[in-house]
Amino acid sequence: MNKDRIEKIIDDLCRLEPSLKDSRQELRPVVEKLLAARPEAQPDSRLLADLRQQVLAALEKRGAAKRPRPSFVLKDFLAGLGRPAYAIGGAALALLIAVPLLKLGQQPTAGPYLSGDLAANQKSALTTGQISSVADQAFGSLAEAGGPVSGQPEAAAGLGGGGGRAPASVPVEGAAPNDTKMMIYRPVTFSFSYSGEIEAPDSQVEVLKFDTAVSRPSLAGWAGQLGLGLIDLSRLNQLKAQTVSLSEDHEYGYQISINYDEGTVSVYQNWEQWPQSYSCDADGVCQPPSRIQPSQLPDDAKVIESADAFLRQIGISTASYGQPVVDSRWQLQYAASDSPEDYWIPDVLTVTYPLIVNGKKVYDPSGSLFGPQVQYSVRYQRVIGVGPVSASDFLASKYPAQTDVSAIEKAVERGGLNRWLGPTDGDNVEYQLTSSEEAYQLTYRYRSGGRPDKLLVSALAFAVDHDSVSASRTEEVYYNDFVVVPLVKEFYDQADQLPQIEPRTVSPAIESLPVPPPVSDDE
Amino acid sequence: MDQSTERKLLERCRHGDSEAFGEIYDAYARPLYAFIYYKVHHRQTAEDLLGQVWLKAVENLDRFNEKRGRISSWLYRIARNQVIDHYRRHVPGADIEDVWGLADPASAETDADTRLKVDMVREHLTRLKPTEREIVIMRVWQELSYAEIAEIVGKSQGNCKVIYSRAVAKLRDSMPLAAWLAFLLAGWRP
């Protein structure tokens, strides 16, 4: 204890009690002794820190519940869910941040939780579909794209891709029961025929580039609250949120994922709050749920009605999307299955809200409608998720078009602009295509490092007539509803340069291989 | 923390900057703890009541009007009321205005070292009226200004000064020097 401190104490005592001025010398040893003996009234530092967190969390929760907000899309969403969609201070929360909640089509207004730079950054990304023209071929070469040429997925068993093949099991005839030969898969190739006329496009066609200007919101002023007391985030610089995960902690609650880099929002079940479809006994032995029966399936209108209602409830606008469509492709395989009683009927039905840009539908690289999807659970009889929802402006540039109609026709015949695998000794199944319409096809241009560019390429979409083939087995079912071909010439040039791969044919040597003996239970 | 800073922080807080309230917390958490502790003389109780005070403050922050006084005084008033409520619940039938007197040094609830130290001055402090005692403690141990004391106890500043000086005079007359110093220094903070 230093002397200055003791003198200060004595000075204060003398101010309180002037009669002590003449007793300063006597006071010094008394003051020293008494100071050493004074009761401590200091709280535990850890307790103070914990309490601080609790207090600020309570303040945040209270402020979020009471703060007046302008019309925000997620604000309506939160209100529709019935309670604040974020739990503070609990282990269930991945990360809590008050996010700027902006309605599609509205310019953001500075709400209580918007820092200045955030309000400025959140501009056009959340407006819908504005297209700005830029110079021709402004996006550079599209040939680097993973796009329509290599974007077509290889066909998996039972699924169609553009011109892909599906394995088909073919029993080898003449095999004795105890000398059974291997089941050999024979490929099925698909081809397509369009009886209508394909017109040559203009010399140039449009390519749109997603111009999503969402930026990561700053955590200025927030960082101190978010470190769980384990780290002082306020000591890090320019901290911004990339993704935010929120959860509802009540029965049938949802989990919301917001990605500021992608400009997307997705909603999923908060699994902890939904009843499990598996039933488990006291010993932990679980039984899978029973199969869905066809009679349990609601009709498409009911599924769409539920999807629409859910989107309304959480404030997601459907203004940018076309007529929703229930994905019923599984029914094609179900109908062709030789044992429908064993076919696993899906317990989740998907409703796609197709993105409409410039009045045209958008298709993904595989030829499916592109847009947010709502998942409807047949078991729970309610929506279990939606996503990803996004909104973007676009930059539009002109690129040289494929004006050679025969090249387009060949691509259509193959089911898309993919590698031509050549004839096989398997089965070829030809589907008829009905109507065609102008469309966009989504493609990605991958660069070394950085995020790929998302592009919409002018294309033609042809509807597949599934009734044109009486599929006798599931492998003959073409699993897409559309054949989509791009109209940008650069993609055709790229496709011509790709190496041709000879398809593998069935080898007689393989047919003669014996089946390995079964493994006994004793081994 | 001066009043101007308090107002700026409050303004930020009302615009959603919770961290601003955190700064208010940082400034007053320890003094509030001491304020409570000097009344209950029990660490655990003081910690619990401290938590209640801050959560109460959060609940009622919307109703706080800075034109009627400082937020620090408001917090102390909440703390005072929480201590009174605590004794109402745990010591039914007692004169809850005499909060100081209810902290029985013989009680197992009182921290041992506090018991020893407060014993030196207890006898003399109990001779003061409850309001006198409270004002003296706030002035001497907690070094609150007369303005803050006035807001907490609900009296005028002038009235508080008069009460304080009369209380000090009573104590000086009744206490031996060592006890008087012990009392004065018990609330000293570096």
Side-chain angles (χ1 to χ4, degrees):
Chain A
M1 187 176 308
N2 60 48
K3 288 182 182 176
D4 288 341
R5 203 166 141 192
I6 296 173
E7 291 305 312
K8 194 171 185 307
I9 293 170
I10 295 172
D11 288 343
D12 285 345
L13 285 170
C14 293
R15 269 201 304 276
L16 285 168
E17 181 56 54
S19 64
L20 289 173
K21 284 180 186 175
D22 299 328
S23 308
R24 290 185 75 96
Q25 290 293 356
E26 298 167 26
L27 289 174
R28 277 194 195 87
V30 176
V31 168
E32 279 186 20
K33 194 172 177 179
L34 289 171
L35 276 175
R38 70 184 168 93
E40 288 299 320
Q42 293 296 327
D44 180 68
S45 296
R46 182 65 188 267
L47 170 110
L48 284 186
D50 289 346
L51 179 58
R52 190 184 198 276
Q53 263 193 319
Q54 290 174 38
V55 167
L56 296 193
L59 182 67
E60 172 54 27
K61 189 172 182 177
R62 185 162 183 79
K66 295 180 67 174
R67 190 179 322 117
R69 299 178 186 222
S71 178
F72 295 141
V73 61
L74 282 184
K75 163 250 180 182
D76 295 329
F77 164 49
L78 296 173
L81 290 172
R83 63 187 65 192
Y86 38 86
I88 301 172
L93 187 64
L95 177 68
L96 169 68
I97 185 173
V99 296
L101 309 174
L102 303 168
K103 185 174 184 178
L104 292 177
Q106 277 191 350
Q107 288 299 322
T109 56
Y113 279 68
L114 279 176
S115 61
D117 58 337
L118 172 61
N121 289 339
Q122 293 261 352
K123 55 174 189 70
S124 59
L126 296 180
T127 57
T128 307
Q130 183 180 346
I131 300 176
S132 304
S133 295
V134 294
D136 292 355
Q137 301 183 65
F139 311 139
S141 170
L142 304 179
E144 305 146 25
V149 174
S150 58
Q152 298 281 0
E154 290 292 332
L159 300 178
R165 53 186 175 177
S169 61
V170 177
V172 176
E173 294 183 0
N178 59 352
D179 189 24
T180 307
K181 298 295 187 289
M182 238 181 193
M183 301 296 279
I184 304 299
Y185 286 95
R186 286 187 178 276
V188 171
T189 57
F190 297 103
S191 61
F192 304 87
S193 171
Y194 180 63
S195 58
E197 187 178 345
I198 298 176
E199 290 185 10
D202 294 339
S203 59
Q204 289 184 313
V205 289
E206 202 172 47
V207 174
L208 303 180
K209 182 178 173 186
F210 281 76
D211 185 25
T212 307
V214 176
S215 57
R216 300 169 184 175
S218 169
L219 290 182
W222 283 90
Q225 306 175 52
L226 301 175
L228 296 175
L230 302 174
I231 178 173
D232 186 357
L233 293 176
S234 63
R235 298 187 187 190
L236 301 175
N237 296 320
Q238 297 181 323
L239 211 55
K240 298 190 178 183
Q242 285 183 271
T243 60
V244 170
S245 182
L246 312 169
S247 64
E248 281 193 298
D249 288 341
H250 63 81
E251 192 179 28
Y252 296 109
Y254 291 93
Q255 186 169 345
I256 304 93
S257 177
I258 305 167
N259 187 316
Y260 287 95
D261 289 343
E262 301 286 334
T264 60
V265 171
S266 299
V267 179
Y268 305 104
Q269 294 165 278
N270 178 4
W271 286 105
E272 294 177 351
Q273 300 293 345
W274 287 61
Q276 297 302 309
S277 55
Y278 279 71
S279 58
C280 302
D281 61 24
D283 297 326
V285 178
C286 299
Q287 299 296 329
S290 56
R291 286 172 180 263
I292 294 292
Q293 300 302 316
S295 58
Q296 292 176 266
L297 294 172
D299 58 36
D300 286 0
K302 169 81 166 59
V303 176
I304 290 174
E305 183 187 332
S306 297
D308 281 345
F310 182 78
L311 294 179
R312 273 197 307 273
Q313 180 189 352
I314 62 176
I316 291 179
S317 169
T318 57
S320 303
Y321 311 115
Q323 192 66 24
V325 177
V326 178
D327 186 354
S328 305
R329 291 176 293 173
W330 64 271
Q331 294 181 11
L332 302 171
Q333 287 194 325
Y334 178 69
S337 172
D338 52 9
S339 55
E341 65 280 2
D342 293 330
Y343 191 89
W344 185 267
I345 295 174
D347 56 356
V348 174
L349 301 176
T350 300
V351 183
T352 299
Y353 285 73
L355 178 64
I356 305 292
V357 178
N358 236 1
K360 302 174 191 173
K361 291 178 191 168
V362 177
Y363 295 84
D364 70 15
S366 71
S368 300
L369 283 170
F370 174 76
Q373 296 183 326
V374 175
Q375 310 290 326
Y376 177 87
S377 168
V378 177
R379 290 188 198 282
Y380 296 119
Q381 296 183 40
R382 58 175 74 203
V383 170
I384 60 172
V386 60
V389 180
S390 65
S392 182
D393 291 338
F394 299 93
L395 300 174
S397 180
K398 299 281 192 185
Y399 277 76
Q402 175 59 272
T403 54
D404 181 357
V405 173
S406 64
I408 299 174
E409 288 173 342
K410 279 183 187 170
V412 171
E413 192 180 310
R414 292 197 294 268
L417 193 65
N418 64 338
R419 291 168 293 178
W420 174 239
L421 301 172
T424 72
D425 56 352
D427 300 329
N428 180 264
V429 177
E430 183 178 274
Y431 278 82
Q432 299 296 315
L433 302 175
T434 57
S435 57
S436 77
E437 61 179 0
E438 292 182 356
Y440 289 110
Q441 188 168 34
L442 175 68
T443 185
Y444 294 90
R445 179 173 54 190
Y446 297 92
R447 301 175 179 280
S448 57
R451 205 175 300 282
D453 293 328
K454 270 173 75 174
L455 304 170
L456 296 182
V457 178
S458 288
L460 290 175
F462 300 82
V464 175
D465 182 4
H466 291 287
D467 292 335
S468 61
V469 170
S470 296
S472 58
R473 47 200 163 109
T474 56
E475 293 81 6
E476 292 179 352
V477 173
Y478 184 68
Y479 206 72
N480 265 336
D481 292 329
F482 300 94
V483 166
V484 183
V485 296
L487 295 176
V488 172
K489 186 172 185 307
E490 191 174 346
F491 289 126
Y492 289 80
D493 297 340
Q494 181 186 22
D496 290 342
Q497 291 165 14
L498 289 172
Q500 299 296 312
I501 299 175
E502 288 297 321
R504 186 164 53 87
T505 57
V506 175
S507 163
I510 296 174
E511 282 186 320
S512 66
L513 284 176
V515 176
V519 177
S520 73
D521 290 341
D522 295 333
E523 292 187 36
Chain B
M1 182 180 286
D2 60 58
Q3 194 167 6
S4 168
T5 305
E6 280 186 3
R7 284 187 174 159
K8 287 176 186 170
L9 289 174
L10 205 57
E11 189 62 26
R12 277 171 52 193
C13 189
R14 287 189 174 126
H15 281 85
D17 184 357
S18 311
E19 188 55 37
F21 193 76
E23 292 185 43
I24 294 174
Y25 174 92
D26 294 337
Y28 294 115
R30 288 180 190 273
L32 277 173
Y33 176 86
F35 180 84
I36 296 168
Y37 185 83
Y38 293 143
K39 294 184 185 303
V40 302
H41 300 153
H42 186 245
R43 176 179 285 272
Q44 181 68 54
T45 304
E47 290 171 355
D48 292 344
L49 291 176
L50 181 69
Q52 291 175 28
V53 167
W54 283 104
L55 293 178
K56 203 85 173 171
V58 166
E59 282 174 27
N60 295 284
L61 193 61
D62 290 345
R63 287 182 226 151
F64 173 71
N65 184 354
E66 58 265 40
K67 292 177 185 173
R68 296 170 64 182
R70 294 183 59 165
I71 194 167
S72 54
S73 306
W74 180 67
L75 290 169
Y76 279 113
R77 280 205 302 277
I78 296 175
R80 186 167 180 263
N81 291 335
Q82 288 298 307
V83 171
I84 291 171
D85 288 346
H86 167 74
Y87 278 110
R88 272 200 182 114
R89 287 192 299 272
H90 291 85
V91 192
D95 180 2
I96 51 93
E97 288 303 317
D98 198 3
V99 172
W100 168 258
L102 291 171
D104 185 357
S107 164
E109 291 290 303
T110 305
D111 293 337
D113 66 334
T114 301
R115 190 182 308 157
L116 290 170
K117 291 163 185 173
V118 169
D119 270 351
M120 288 181 75
V121 298
R122 181 180 179 81
E123 179 193 342
H124 305 282
L125 287 170
T126 52
R127 293 178 187 168
L128 297 177
K129 294 176 184 174
T131 305
E132 290 176 335
R133 189 159 56 236
E134 195 170 18
I135 290 175
V136 165
I137 290 173
M138 282 194 281
R139 180 67 186 159
V140 175
W141 285 7
Q142 299 220 252
E143 297 180 79
L144 296 180
S145 67
Y146 287 114
E148 288 171 311
I149 293 171
E151 287 177 26
I152 293 168
V153 301
K155 297 183 185 297
S156 68
Q157 285 190 43
N159 200 359
C160 290
K161 287 179 183 175
V162 168
I163 293 172
Y164 173 69
S165 63
R166 286 179 183 166
V168 168
K170 280 187 192 176
L171 287 171
R172 182 66 187 90
D173 289 341
S174 68
M175 277 187 187
L177 177 60
W180 171 232
L181 287 172
F183 162 71
L184 292 175
L185 294 168
W188 181 264
R189 288 188 305 283

